[in-house]
Amino acid sequence: MTRHEDLKPINPPHWKRPSGYSNGMLGGGFLFIAGQIGWDENGAFAEGLVDQVRHALLNIRAVAEAADARVDRIARLTWYVTDRQAYKAQTREIGAVYREIIGRHFPAMAVVEVKGLVEDKALVEIEATLVL
């Protein structure tokens, strides 16, 4: 079991420091990445689900890189979407964006439809767990 003092918060250095959470926690051979949404480092949201997925995945990659990790070490992804039908209708485009950013690496994954996310403009939030 990982002791608290063995955990290290991970936040990309060029990002605004989050309040009340860390973008990632490193410890015990794992990197746990907090839910990433479809905005850039300045908090500007992308338009539409596919572009928000792109930004969320880029944000996951940025957190991984801040921990000196690679996205091919992702073992699990959990996606929260506000519109399951929109997700299903755009799976081809989402898949292309995924392969562009993550590559042909397909970890365990769940997609869950939710009523809403904390940020009103967010259409998707993605959590990741990496095994290092």
Side-chain angles (χ1 to χ4, degrees):
M1 180 147 189
T2 302
R3 296 185 331 249
H4 173 69
E5 55 271 6
D6 293 336
L7 295 173
K8 177 183 175 188
I10 301 295
N11 293 294
H14 62 282
W15 286 10
K16 179 181 170 187
R17 184 151 178 80
S19 178
Y21 68 96
S22 293
N23 284 290
M25 289 299 288
L26 183 63
F30 297 94
L31 174 61
F32 302 94
I33 298 180
Q36 298 297 309
I37 57 178
W39 62 14
D40 65 18
E41 62 273 4
N42 299 313
F45 276 92
E47 293 295 323
L49 179 59
V50 174
D51 284 335
Q52 284 201 18
V53 166
R54 176 185 311 281
H55 279 278
L57 292 173
L58 287 169
N59 292 341
I60 286 171
R61 188 170 71 189
V63 176
E65 290 172 352
D68 292 324
R70 299 183 326 263
V71 293
D72 65 354
R73 301 303 300 164
I74 294 172
R76 179 194 58 84
L77 291 172
T78 304
W79 299 48
Y80 303 94
V81 297
T82 59
D83 185 339
R84 180 175 53 94
Q85 293 305 323
Y87 174 86
K88 289 171 62 175
Q90 297 174 75
T91 55
R92 176 166 279 152
E93 296 89 347
I94 289 169
V97 165
Y98 179 92
R99 288 186 303 280
E100 169 191 325
I101 296 164
I102 305 298
R104 291 196 155 295
H105 173 70
F106 305 106
M109 188 173 99
V111 178
V112 180
E113 183 179 40
V114 295
K115 183 176 179 179
L117 297 164
V118 171
E119 296 294 333
D120 290 336
K121 292 182 180 178
L123 303 175
V124 62
E125 184 167 334
I126 308 172
E127 295 177 325
T129 303
L130 286 73
V131 178
L132 307 176

